[in-house]
Amino acid sequence: MKRLDYLKWDEYFMGIALLSAQRSKDPNTTVGACIVSDDNKILSVGYNGMPIGCSDDDFPWEREGCALDTKYVYVCHAEMNAILNYTGTNMKGSKLYVTLFPCNECTKALIQKGIREIVYMSDKYGDSDAVKAAKRMFDSSGITYRAYEPIHRDIILSL
């Protein structure tokens, strides 16, 4: 008997990205990422958080104020963490599953590592200059990106 209700690859890998996001201590935005080889092997995962050795309790998580008093100059994004956590030698041709569309800075690193496709869950900052720049770079370099489309409606994957 053929089983028809199994998880498709997109659901599986986005689920891992969502689970990774739960490690984030950011009180406002949790993001997770999962990088997968072209033969559907997990290469690396990451979430948004402080760099190793920088305590989550000693650095700010604020969104407004003087730059040095906000999270933005300290936090390492999920995509960057996934790249930096990778212990292999080659990501060329891989795919990124991420819960939030990448910013322009992460996009540069994703392009340089040879990632060929981005599957994202949310594009809530799609009107920002950072995401517009990211999409322009992806388009220019031939990297495809698409919104995650759940197949099984009875499986709830959410941020």
Side-chain angles (χ1 to χ4, degrees):
M1 175 189 289
K2 186 174 181 181
R3 186 172 166 218
L4 300 176
D5 61 346
Y6 61 91
L7 284 177
K8 302 295 184 193
W9 288 120
D10 278 2
E11 292 171 309
Y12 178 64
F13 296 129
M14 188 58 76
I16 291 175
L18 284 161
L19 188 60
S20 296
Q22 297 305 305
R23 290 282 310 144
S24 176
K25 304 256 184 2
D26 189 326
N28 298 297
T29 307
T30 59
V31 181
C34 180
I35 300 174
V36 180
S37 69
D38 60 356
D39 61 346
N40 294 317
K41 304 291 187 277
I42 296 172
L43 300 177
S44 187
V45 295
Y47 58 90
N48 59 318
M50 297 299 166
I52 294 172
C54 297
S55 171
D56 294 322
D57 298 325
D58 295 338
F59 284 84
W61 289 102
E62 302 303 317
R63 298 172 76 176
E64 296 178 8
C66 170
L68 294 176
D69 294 330
T70 68
K71 65 182 179 177
Y72 300 111
V73 295
Y74 305 107
V75 168
C76 188
H77 288 179
E79 307 91 325
M80 189 65 69
N81 263 329
I83 289 170
L84 296 171
N85 288 338
Y86 181 56
T87 59
T89 58
N90 189 359
M91 286 186 178
K92 190 170 184 175
S94 61
K95 186 183 297 187
L96 171 74
Y97 288 85
V98 64
T99 60
L100 184 63
F101 199 94
C103 72
N104 61 305
E105 292 299 320
C106 290
T107 294
K108 295 174 204 176
L110 295 166
I111 291 169
Q112 291 297 96
K113 293 305 284 184
I115 292 173
R116 67 171 168 77
E117 184 177 4
I118 311 300
V119 181
Y120 63 92
M121 180 168 266
S122 171
D123 192 16
K124 73 177 179 178
Y125 299 115
D127 290 333
S128 71
D129 288 343
V131 173
K132 288 178 182 177
K135 289 177 180 176
R136 182 177 178 185
M137 287 186 279
F138 284 145
D139 291 342
S140 178
S141 61
I143 295 172
T144 60
Y145 51 90
R146 62 183 168 87
Y148 166 72
E149 295 290 335
I151 298 164
H152 292 96
R153 300 294 177 198
D154 57 331
I155 298 172
I156 306 298
L157 296 180
S158 64
L159 296 173

